[in-house]
Amino acid sequence: MRSARTIWLWVLAAPAVQAAGFGPPEGTLPFHPLTVAVPAGALSPLRSASLFREESSTGAAPTYYLGAGVAGSRLQIPDSPGATAWQVVPTADCVRLEPVPPALLHTPSVQAVLVQQNPLPMECAAAFEGSCTSRDDKLRITTTFDGRRRAARVGGGFFGTEGTIDTTFYTGVRTLSIEHLPSRLVLRMQERLNNSNGYSAPQTAIRYLPELQRLLLLGASEAQGMPLAQCVALPSR
């Protein structure tokens, strides 16, 4: 799987070239590599980790956590095998991820960040093309496509034998841009598609922590097939 959430129409239709995944970021918005050391047999927080937060009793910024395979306190179900939990600790450069016991995310004071509470609306980086703005109006995330589209009818169903469905094949470049609106600084990632009807949608791999002025890219891009992790320390203005 190439992204946090990749649209694989080829699973429902005829085989097609897989989406390439977004390449490493570049641009005017500075970012830092984020080291993630995952023990053998454990789940990685890259690409699809859940976000948790714990409010401060002193009025300070909340504490954020990432959970991979962790159900949390709202769901009365066990964690997945190999579940991991990580505290997001701000540093002078950006953040570091410190492993914590998954049981910590089951305590009543630590709550999962629900869709309605997420600083980024759920449509951010989810569609083939589109734009969204963070709930605090500080970030804009835009996905554009420059290239050719080819409409086709392909076999439907899991094995492509259940009638036909309409689909579109793409050849060209998709660009995902993250702009910090107050400073106008921008970070960009590109995905090259070659006659593919699949594409990357790194919706859950982009985590915005407004109180910390941090943006985490947790497998939103990759290099040589391996997911990358970066942290952006957003400008204070």
Side-chain angles (χ1 to χ4, degrees), residues 2-53:
R2 294 285 188 177
S3 71
R5 188 171 71 94
T6 300
I7 308 301
W8 292 129
L9 296 179
W10 62 276
V11 171
L12 301 175
V17 178
Q18 294 186 10
F22 284 102
E26 57 184 22
T28 56
L29 190 60
F31 60 90
H32 302 269
L34 185 59
T35 300
V36 183
V38 181
L43 298 177
S44 169
L46 302 187
R47 291 180 171 164
S48 60
S50 299
L51 185 65
F52 296 78
R53 62 182 281 161

Side-chain angles (χ1 to χ4, degrees), residues 5-226:
R5 188 171 71 94
T6 300
I7 308 301
W8 292 129
L9 296 179
W10 62 276
V11 171
L12 301 175
V17 178
Q18 294 186 10
F22 284 102
E26 57 184 22
T28 56
L29 190 60
F31 60 90
H32 302 269
L34 185 59
T35 300
V36 183
V38 181
L43 298 177
S44 169
L46 302 187
R47 291 180 171 164
S48 60
S50 299
L51 185 65
F52 296 78
R53 62 182 281 161
E54 182 177 22
E55 300 295 342
S56 170
S57 59
T58 63
T63 300
Y64 282 97
Y65 302 90
L66 298 170
V70 178
S73 60
R74 287 181 178 270
L75 303 177
Q76 301 302 311
I77 58 176
D79 294 340
S80 301
T84 56
W86 312 74
Q87 181 178 344
V88 181
V89 180
T91 64
D93 289 334
C94 210
V95 303
R96 68 176 183 274
L97 298 183
E98 289 189 356
V100 297
L104 177 62
L105 304 191
H106 287 269
T107 58
S109 62
V110 179
Q111 295 293 317
V113 176
L114 303 179
V115 170
Q116 305 91 317
Q117 304 166 329
N118 197 315
L120 294 176
M122 66 180 301
E123 66 267 22
C124 286
F128 183 77
E129 292 180 285
S131 180
C132 74
T133 303
S134 62
R135 299 190 196 279
D136 64 358
D137 295 324
K138 297 290 182 66
L139 292 180
R140 179 178 293 135
I141 299 178
T142 304
T143 307
T144 59
F145 175 68
D146 181 18
R148 301 191 307 275
R149 306 166 192 251
R150 178 174 63 86
R153 291 189 64 81
V154 297
F158 192 83
F159 296 104
T161 58
E162 301 177 15
T164 59
I165 61 173
D166 293 322
T167 189
T168 302
F169 290 84
Y170 304 96
T171 298
V173 178
R174 290 176 74 223
T175 300
L176 190 152
S177 303
I178 302 175
E179 181 181 6
H180 181 246
L181 295 174
S183 67
R184 314 305 295 183
L185 299 178
V186 182
L187 179 148
R188 295 183 178 87
M189 298 177 288
Q190 291 190 328
E191 177 180 45
R192 299 186 181 279
L193 302 177
N194 182 17
N195 196 34
S196 173
N197 64 346
Y199 58 89
S200 300
Q203 176 190 36
T204 57
I206 302 174
R207 295 298 188 181
Y208 176 36
L209 315 178
E211 299 90 347
L212 305 183
Q213 294 185 303
R214 299 292 190 267
L215 179 71
L216 306 183
L217 304 176
L218 303 170
S221 62
E222 60 181 56
Q224 298 179 339
M226 299 299 294

